[in-house]
Amino acid sequence: MSHESFMREAIKLAEDGMRGGRGGPFGCVVVRRGEIVGRGHNRVTSTNDPTAHAEVTAIRDACATLETFQLADCELYTSCEPCPMCLAAIYWARIPTVFYGNTRADAAAIGFDDDFIYQQIPLPPEQRTVAMEPLLRQEARVAFAEWSKKSDKVRY
């Protein structure tokens, strides 16, 4: 299959999910060695899960299929440029290449504007719109100290 074929599958998932009332107009596939290993469409409203974006659901599907948490040998095709959350998930999954259809500006034009999140990220925690306050750092550090000494940890 070609890049265009994979993108058309992502677009089809976006349309099917939207038309089926399962969420917004976003679809995604994860491809490994020319084969689709993960599919997803936006399911935010049908699952009451704000993290159920197309890219996240496709990454979860691909990881379950391949039984791994790293997708370094995969490509991701998404019907829209990823939002900050999905972009972070792509980085955490180690996906090296992303193809996207619509842009952030296209999404903003139909009411999916995530620019405010991009603006919040570089701010110090105390300047963000969401109140963030440190609490019980010394107690929380115990788990980190234990992790740093753990000999059988799986790094990710």
Side-chain angles (χ1 to χ4, degrees):
M1 291 179 71
S2 66
H3 292 302
E4 291 80 7
S5 297
F6 294 129
M7 182 58 76
R8 286 186 183 105
E9 179 63 20
I11 293 167
K12 182 181 181 315
L13 287 166
E15 294 168 346
D16 291 350
M18 174 193 60
R19 291 172 184 156
R22 295 184 296 276
F26 305 96
C28 182
V29 295
V30 176
V31 175
R32 180 178 183 228
R33 298 183 194 131
E35 179 184 343
I36 295 174
V37 294
R39 287 180 168 78
H41 63 272
N42 184 286
R43 297 178 181 162
V44 171
T45 58
S46 61
T47 62
N48 294 316
D49 179 355
T51 69
H53 288 200
E55 296 89 341
V56 171
T57 59
I59 288 169
R60 289 175 181 162
D61 188 41
C63 288
T65 297
L66 299 174
E67 298 180 336
T68 184
F69 55 84
Q70 292 190 354
L71 303 172
D73 58 349
C74 296
E75 301 167 332
L76 186 137
Y77 296 79
T78 179
S79 65
C80 185
E81 183 178 356
C83 76
M85 176 185 70
C86 294
L87 184 59
I90 289 163
Y91 275 98
W92 279 116
R94 309 293 196 265
I95 298 170
T97 306
V98 173
F99 298 92
Y100 63 92
N102 293 303
T103 66
R104 288 169 43 186
D106 297 332
I110 62 164
F112 293 96
D113 192 357
D114 53 17
D115 192 54
F116 75 96
I117 300 172
Y118 283 103
Q119 293 174 15
Q120 291 284 303
I121 291 170
L123 296 176
E126 64 276 3
Q127 292 180 14
R128 294 180 184 149
T129 302
V130 173
M132 299 183 75
E133 297 181 35
L135 183 64
L136 297 178
R137 182 173 179 222
Q138 288 304 104
E139 290 181 38
R141 291 181 74 181
V142 172
F144 276 23
E146 187 176 329
W147 174 262
S148 69
K149 295 174 186 166
K150 190 171 172 51
S151 62
D152 62 343
K153 62 186 160 202
V154 177
R155 295 189 178 274
Y156 59 96

